[in-house]
Amino acid sequence: MTDFTRTKAMFDLPEGVIYLDGNSLGPLPRAVGTRVQEMLNDEWGQMLITGWNKAGWMGLPTGLGDRIGRLIGAEPGSVVVGDTLSIKVYQAVASALEMNPGRKVVLSDNGNFPSDLYMADGLLRSLGPDYELRVVDPEEVAAHITEEVAVLMLTEVDYRSGRIHDMKALTELAHANGVVTVWDLAHSAGAIPVYLAGCNADFAVGCTYKYLNGGPGAPAFIYVAPRLSGQVRPALSGWLGHEAPFAFDLDYRPGAGIERMRVGTPPVIQMTALSSAMDIWDMADMADIRARSIELTEQFIAGVEATCPGLELASPRDPLRRGSQVSFRFREGYAAMQALIARGVIGDFRAPDIIRFGFTPLYIDKDDVEQAVEILADIIANRLWDKPEYKIRQRVT
Ligand SMILES: *Cc1c(COP(=O)(O)O)cnc(C)c1O
């Protein structure tokens, strides 16, 4: 059993804050500061360039990949960490497309995160006018999986509503039509159990600064099924994905398996922070996380619906079809979220009218949820959001 009292004590949350935004940026684990300081002093400071070997910096991308892999049902040696999620989306879609020569359609849905759509669109434009990014409603995806489609690119958990796509069924349908799949796990990794190997997924990508608590700008990860990783061509053919980076050959030869999805020099300081954050995940069981997350989201929905008329649930009501976040529609959502933040309840706002709350059992418990509901109810009932200063849009919402 995961000891949630113990995990909660491992985070350094500010006094008076109920943090319901760990789905966007995970909070700081207590141990990270010390560990990063130690890395700076003892490794970078003392070892200088020898740290790549002595401190094992060069092995961080695959070592971290395996630790994340455990949370997403990936085979050992099938995940590597690096770059940002947008870059990893590009890398995965480019490799996936090449596995289906002759097909020119990438299928996605309009619930996907815009950056994924932008990256795919940018790639397809570089490839030429015959290529097409086909974007359909989330409910229509299955009906559009045909033998015309090269790649199915989906985000498993919708960033706005929290709706979960059926990874197993859609992957099966894709394969039956010769379609290669790319799953984005940005709102899945650390949020819900994922079974990449069990679903026979081809490619997957995700980020580590949301549920995994790696810190702002923490690197992304990419998964390639072991049955494919020895044959895919990395479109971002950087030297650290080369079979022998330190041979300095002028010709590119892809590295063994997942190593080929590495690109350039890993961000060691950021990976050290992530590595320390992952120690907490080593104490957690995804089945426990999921069970607790469902309890918390059910409690929140029931509480808000009982006390906040005017807020409309924008997430699936069935907890099995919902990730670890809950969204409500409210016309003055932006101002309401600013008022909430002023009272210490931190969630976020997604245009045009969604207020979004992430539930992260590692450090959020039932008392937090109860208090958050009370504060939200007060803000709605007494129109506390109706102040000019809460209506000024900031750069990050
Ligand atoms: C958070 C998120 C991103 C962000 O990409 P970055 O390159 O890390 O900024 C991309 N896609 C999805 C689905 C996300 O949820």
Side-chain angles (χ1 to χ4, degrees), residues 207-248:
C207 56
T208 64
Y209 52 79
K210 292 174 179 162
Y211 290 91
L212 301 183
N213 314 309
F221 63 84
I222 185 165
Y223 164 87
V224 183
R227 69 192 141 77
L228 304 176
S229 58
Q231 69 190 69
V232 300
R233 192 189 71 86
L236 302 173
S237 31
W239 73 303
L240 289 186
H242 192 282
E243 182 184 52
F246 287 87
F248 297 106

Short mmCIF file of all heavy atoms in Angstrom, two decimals, residues 207-248:
data_model
loop_
_atom_site.label_atom_id
_atom_site.label_comp_id
_atom_site.label_asym_id
_atom_site.label_seq_id
_atom_site.Cartn_x
_atom_site.Cartn_y
_atom_site.Cartn_z
N CYS A 207 5.51 14.29 -20.66
CA CYS A 207 6.40 15.23 -20.00
C CYS A 207 6.54 14.87 -18.53
O CYS A 207 5.80 14.06 -17.99
CB CYS A 207 5.94 16.66 -20.20
SG CYS A 207 4.26 16.97 -19.67
N THR A 208 7.51 15.48 -17.88
CA THR A 208 7.84 15.08 -16.50
C THR A 208 7.63 16.22 -15.50
O THR A 208 7.88 16.04 -14.33
CB THR A 208 9.31 14.61 -16.40
OG1 THR A 208 10.17 15.71 -16.71
CG2 THR A 208 9.60 13.46 -17.36
N TYR A 209 7.19 17.38 -15.99
CA TYR A 209 7.00 18.50 -15.05
C TYR A 209 5.56 18.58 -14.55
O TYR A 209 5.25 19.42 -13.72
CB TYR A 209 7.41 19.84 -15.68
CG TYR A 209 6.78 20.12 -17.03
CD1 TYR A 209 5.48 20.59 -17.13
CD2 TYR A 209 7.49 19.89 -18.20
CE1 TYR A 209 4.90 20.82 -18.35
CE2 TYR A 209 6.92 20.13 -19.44
CZ TYR A 209 5.61 20.59 -19.51
OH TYR A 209 5.05 20.80 -20.74
N LYS A 210 4.67 17.72 -15.07
CA LYS A 210 3.28 17.72 -14.59
C LYS A 210 3.18 16.77 -13.39
O LYS A 210 3.72 17.07 -12.34
CB LYS A 210 2.34 17.36 -15.74
CG LYS A 210 2.33 18.49 -16.80
CD LYS A 210 1.55 18.17 -18.05
CE LYS A 210 1.59 19.37 -19.01
NZ LYS A 210 1.25 19.05 -20.39
N TYR A 211 2.55 15.63 -13.56
CA TYR A 211 2.34 14.72 -12.41
C TYR A 211 3.64 14.17 -11.82
O TYR A 211 3.65 13.73 -10.69
CB TYR A 211 1.43 13.58 -12.81
CG TYR A 211 0.00 14.00 -13.06
CD1 TYR A 211 -0.44 14.37 -14.31
CD2 TYR A 211 -0.92 14.03 -12.01
CE1 TYR A 211 -1.75 14.76 -14.54
CE2 TYR A 211 -2.23 14.41 -12.22
CZ TYR A 211 -2.65 14.78 -13.49
OH TYR A 211 -3.94 15.16 -13.70
N LEU A 212 4.72 14.14 -12.61
CA LEU A 212 5.94 13.52 -12.12
C LEU A 212 6.82 14.47 -11.29
O LEU A 212 7.81 14.05 -10.72
CB LEU A 212 6.75 12.91 -13.28
CG LEU A 212 6.00 11.85 -14.10
CD1 LEU A 212 6.91 11.25 -15.17
CD2 LEU A 212 5.46 10.74 -13.21
N ASN A 213 6.47 15.77 -11.27
CA ASN A 213 7.11 16.73 -10.37
C ASN A 213 8.59 17.00 -10.65
O ASN A 213 9.37 17.25 -9.73
CB ASN A 213 6.94 16.29 -8.89
CG ASN A 213 5.53 15.86 -8.58
OD1 ASN A 213 4.58 16.58 -8.88
ND2 ASN A 213 5.35 14.68 -8.01
N GLY A 214 8.97 16.95 -11.91
CA GLY A 214 10.39 17.17 -12.27
C GLY A 214 10.82 18.63 -12.27
O GLY A 214 12.02 18.91 -12.39
N GLY A 215 9.88 19.56 -12.14
CA GLY A 215 10.24 20.98 -12.08
C GLY A 215 10.02 21.68 -13.41
O GLY A 215 10.00 21.04 -14.46
N PRO A 216 9.87 23.01 -13.37
CA PRO A 216 9.58 23.76 -14.61
C PRO A 216 10.64 23.51 -15.67
O PRO A 216 11.83 23.67 -15.42
CB PRO A 216 9.57 25.23 -14.15
CG PRO A 216 10.19 25.25 -12.79
CD PRO A 216 10.02 23.89 -12.20
N GLY A 217 10.19 23.11 -16.85
CA GLY A 217 11.13 22.87 -17.94
C GLY A 217 11.81 21.51 -17.87
O GLY A 217 12.75 21.23 -18.64
N ALA A 218 11.36 20.63 -16.98
CA ALA A 218 11.94 19.28 -16.90
C ALA A 218 11.77 18.59 -18.26
O ALA A 218 10.80 18.85 -18.97
CB ALA A 218 11.27 18.48 -15.79
N PRO A 219 12.71 17.72 -18.61
CA PRO A 219 12.68 17.13 -19.95
C PRO A 219 11.53 16.15 -20.17
O PRO A 219 10.92 15.67 -19.22
CB PRO A 219 14.03 16.42 -20.05
CG PRO A 219 14.42 16.16 -18.64
CD PRO A 219 13.86 17.27 -17.82
N ALA A 220 11.29 15.84 -21.42
CA ALA A 220 10.21 14.94 -21.82
C ALA A 220 10.72 13.50 -21.92
O ALA A 220 11.91 13.23 -21.71
CB ALA A 220 9.65 15.39 -23.16
N PHE A 221 9.81 12.58 -22.26
CA PHE A 221 10.25 11.21 -22.51
C PHE A 221 9.60 10.69 -23.78
O PHE A 221 8.57 11.20 -24.25
CB PHE A 221 9.94 10.28 -21.32
CG PHE A 221 8.48 10.11 -21.00
CD1 PHE A 221 7.70 9.17 -21.67
CD2 PHE A 221 7.87 10.87 -20.01
CE1 PHE A 221 6.35 9.00 -21.37
CE2 PHE A 221 6.53 10.72 -19.69
CZ PHE A 221 5.76 9.78 -20.38
N ILE A 222 10.25 9.67 -24.35
CA ILE A 222 9.69 9.01 -25.53
C ILE A 222 9.82 7.51 -25.34
O ILE A 222 10.80 7.02 -24.80
CB ILE A 222 10.37 9.49 -26.83
CG1 ILE A 222 9.68 8.88 -28.07
CG2 ILE A 222 11.87 9.19 -26.85
CD1 ILE A 222 10.04 9.57 -29.39
N TYR A 223 8.78 6.81 -25.77
CA TYR A 223 8.74 5.35 -25.74
C TYR A 223 8.66 4.86 -27.18
O TYR A 223 7.89 5.40 -27.99
CB TYR A 223 7.49 4.89 -25.00
CG TYR A 223 7.09 3.43 -25.21
CD1 TYR A 223 7.64 2.41 -24.43
CD2 TYR A 223 6.17 3.08 -26.20
CE1 TYR A 223 7.26 1.09 -24.63
CE2 TYR A 223 5.79 1.75 -26.40
CZ TYR A 223 6.35 0.76 -25.60
OH TYR A 223 5.98 -0.55 -25.80
N VAL A 224 9.45 3.85 -27.49
CA VAL A 224 9.29 3.15 -28.77
C VAL A 224 9.21 1.65 -28.43
O VAL A 224 10.06 1.14 -27.68
CB VAL A 224 10.46 3.40 -29.74
CG1 VAL A 224 10.20 2.71 -31.07
CG2 VAL A 224 10.68 4.89 -29.95
N ALA A 225 8.19 0.98 -28.92
CA ALA A 225 8.03 -0.45 -28.64
C ALA A 225 9.30 -1.18 -29.05
O ALA A 225 9.84 -0.93 -30.13
CB ALA A 225 6.83 -1.00 -29.40
N PRO A 226 9.78 -2.09 -28.20
CA PRO A 226 11.03 -2.80 -28.51
C PRO A 226 10.99 -3.51 -29.86
O PRO A 226 12.01 -3.61 -30.53
CB PRO A 226 11.15 -3.81 -27.36
CG PRO A 226 10.40 -3.19 -26.24
CD PRO A 226 9.27 -2.43 -26.86
N ARG A 227 9.79 -3.95 -30.30
CA ARG A 227 9.73 -4.63 -31.60
C ARG A 227 10.02 -3.66 -32.75
O ARG A 227 10.27 -4.07 -33.87
CB ARG A 227 8.36 -5.31 -31.77
CG ARG A 227 7.21 -4.35 -31.94
CD ARG A 227 5.83 -5.02 -31.80
NE ARG A 227 4.92 -4.16 -31.09
CZ ARG A 227 4.30 -3.09 -31.61
NH1 ARG A 227 4.47 -2.78 -32.87
NH2 ARG A 227 3.54 -2.34 -30.87
N LEU A 228 9.98 -2.33 -32.47
CA LEU A 228 10.20 -1.34 -33.53
C LEU A 228 11.50 -0.56 -33.37
O LEU A 228 12.03 -0.03 -34.35
CB LEU A 228 9.05 -0.31 -33.54
CG LEU A 228 7.63 -0.84 -33.68
CD1 LEU A 228 6.64 0.32 -33.58
CD2 LEU A 228 7.47 -1.55 -35.03
N SER A 229 11.99 -0.45 -32.13
CA SER A 229 13.04 0.55 -31.87
C SER A 229 14.33 0.26 -32.63
O SER A 229 15.11 1.17 -32.88
CB SER A 229 13.30 0.69 -30.37
OG SER A 229 13.68 -0.53 -29.82
N GLY A 230 14.55 -0.98 -33.02
CA GLY A 230 15.76 -1.28 -33.79
C GLY A 230 15.64 -0.93 -35.27
O GLY A 230 16.64 -0.96 -36.00
N GLN A 231 14.43 -0.60 -35.70
CA GLN A 231 14.24 -0.33 -37.13
C GLN A 231 13.81 1.09 -37.45
O GLN A 231 13.88 1.50 -38.60
CB GLN A 231 13.25 -1.34 -37.74
CG GLN A 231 11.82 -1.15 -37.24
CD GLN A 231 10.90 -2.28 -37.64
OE1 GLN A 231 11.03 -3.41 -37.15
NE2 GLN A 231 9.98 -2.00 -38.56
N VAL A 232 13.35 1.87 -36.45
CA VAL A 232 12.87 3.21 -36.78
C VAL A 232 14.05 4.14 -37.08
O VAL A 232 15.12 4.02 -36.50
CB VAL A 232 12.01 3.84 -35.66
CG1 VAL A 232 10.79 3.00 -35.39
CG2 VAL A 232 12.82 4.04 -34.39
N ARG A 233 13.79 5.07 -38.02
CA ARG A 233 14.82 6.04 -38.33
C ARG A 233 14.54 7.31 -37.53
O ARG A 233 13.45 7.86 -37.61
CB ARG A 233 14.82 6.38 -39.82
CG ARG A 233 16.07 7.16 -40.25
CD ARG A 233 15.94 7.67 -41.67
NE ARG A 233 14.96 8.76 -41.77
CZ ARG A 233 15.24 10.05 -41.57
NH1 ARG A 233 16.47 10.41 -41.28
NH2 ARG A 233 14.29 10.96 -41.68
N PRO A 234 15.52 7.75 -36.72
CA PRO A 234 15.28 8.98 -35.96
C PRO A 234 15.42 10.18 -36.88
O PRO A 234 16.47 10.39 -37.49
CB PRO A 234 16.38 8.98 -34.90
CG PRO A 234 17.25 7.79 -35.18
CD PRO A 234 16.84 7.17 -36.46
N ALA A 235 14.36 10.98 -36.99
CA ALA A 235 14.42 12.16 -37.86
C ALA A 235 15.29 13.24 -37.24
O ALA A 235 15.88 14.04 -37.95
CB ALA A 235 13.01 12.70 -38.10
N LEU A 236 15.36 13.26 -35.91
CA LEU A 236 16.24 14.22 -35.25
C LEU A 236 17.52 13.47 -34.93
O LEU A 236 17.70 12.96 -33.82
CB LEU A 236 15.58 14.77 -33.98
CG LEU A 236 14.23 15.47 -34.19
CD1 LEU A 236 13.60 15.82 -32.86
CD2 LEU A 236 14.41 16.72 -35.04
N SER A 237 18.39 13.37 -35.94
CA SER A 237 19.55 12.48 -35.80
C SER A 237 20.73 13.22 -35.20
O SER A 237 21.66 13.59 -35.91
CB SER A 237 19.88 11.86 -37.15
OG SER A 237 19.56 12.74 -38.21
N GLY A 238 20.65 13.41 -33.89
CA GLY A 238 21.72 14.09 -33.17
C GLY A 238 22.84 13.12 -32.79
O GLY A 238 22.65 11.90 -32.81
N TRP A 239 23.94 13.69 -32.41
CA TRP A 239 25.13 12.84 -32.16
C TRP A 239 24.95 11.87 -31.01
O TRP A 239 25.52 10.78 -31.03
CB TRP A 239 26.38 13.71 -31.99
CG TRP A 239 26.47 14.48 -30.69
CD1 TRP A 239 25.57 15.37 -30.18
CD2 TRP A 239 27.55 14.43 -29.74
NE1 TRP A 239 26.01 15.88 -28.99
CE2 TRP A 239 27.23 15.32 -28.69
CE3 TRP A 239 28.77 13.73 -29.68
CZ2 TRP A 239 28.07 15.52 -27.60
CZ3 TRP A 239 29.60 13.93 -28.59
CH2 TRP A 239 29.24 14.81 -27.55
N LEU A 240 24.15 12.24 -30.00
CA LEU A 240 24.02 11.31 -28.86
C LEU A 240 23.06 10.16 -29.15
O LEU A 240 22.95 9.22 -28.36
CB LEU A 240 23.66 12.06 -27.59
CG LEU A 240 24.82 12.91 -27.04
CD1 LEU A 240 24.45 13.52 -25.70
CD2 LEU A 240 26.12 12.11 -26.92
N GLY A 241 22.38 10.22 -30.30
CA GLY A 241 21.59 9.06 -30.74
C GLY A 241 22.39 8.19 -31.70
O GLY A 241 21.88 7.18 -32.20
N HIS A 242 23.62 8.59 -31.95
CA HIS A 242 24.49 7.83 -32.86
C HIS A 242 24.98 6.57 -32.16
O HIS A 242 25.12 6.55 -30.94
CB HIS A 242 25.69 8.72 -33.25
CG HIS A 242 26.51 8.21 -34.39
ND1 HIS A 242 27.44 7.20 -34.25
CD2 HIS A 242 26.55 8.58 -35.70
CE1 HIS A 242 28.01 6.97 -35.42
NE2 HIS A 242 27.49 7.80 -36.33
N GLU A 243 25.25 5.56 -32.97
CA GLU A 243 25.74 4.29 -32.43
C GLU A 243 27.04 4.48 -31.65
O GLU A 243 27.27 3.81 -30.63
CB GLU A 243 25.98 3.35 -33.62
CG GLU A 243 26.44 1.98 -33.27
CD GLU A 243 26.72 1.18 -34.55
OE1 GLU A 243 27.47 1.67 -35.41
OE2 GLU A 243 26.17 0.08 -34.68
N ALA A 244 27.89 5.38 -32.10
CA ALA A 244 29.18 5.61 -31.45
C ALA A 244 29.50 7.10 -31.45
O ALA A 244 30.29 7.58 -32.26
CB ALA A 244 30.28 4.83 -32.18
N PRO A 245 28.85 7.86 -30.53
CA PRO A 245 29.00 9.33 -30.58
C PRO A 245 30.46 9.78 -30.56
O PRO A 245 30.82 10.74 -31.21
CB PRO A 245 28.28 9.81 -29.33
CG PRO A 245 27.45 8.68 -28.85
CD PRO A 245 28.00 7.42 -29.43
N PHE A 246 31.26 9.04 -29.79
CA PHE A 246 32.64 9.51 -29.63
C PHE A 246 33.59 8.95 -30.67
O PHE A 246 34.81 9.13 -30.58
CB PHE A 246 33.10 9.29 -28.18
CG PHE A 246 32.43 10.30 -27.28
CD1 PHE A 246 31.18 10.04 -26.71
CD2 PHE A 246 33.00 11.55 -27.05
CE1 PHE A 246 30.53 10.99 -25.93
CE2 PHE A 246 32.36 12.50 -26.27
CZ PHE A 246 31.13 12.22 -25.71
N ALA A 247 33.04 8.31 -31.70
CA ALA A 247 33.86 7.97 -32.86
C ALA A 247 33.91 9.18 -33.80
O ALA A 247 34.79 9.26 -34.65
CB ALA A 247 33.25 6.76 -33.59
N PHE A 248 32.98 10.11 -33.62
CA PHE A 248 32.91 11.32 -34.44
C PHE A 248 32.94 11.02 -35.94
O PHE A 248 33.61 11.69 -36.71
CB PHE A 248 34.03 12.30 -34.05
CG PHE A 248 33.90 12.79 -32.63
CD1 PHE A 248 34.75 12.32 -31.63
CD2 PHE A 248 32.89 13.68 -32.26
CE1 PHE A 248 34.62 12.74 -30.31
CE2 PHE A 248 32.75 14.11 -30.94
CZ PHE A 248 33.61 13.64 -29.98
#
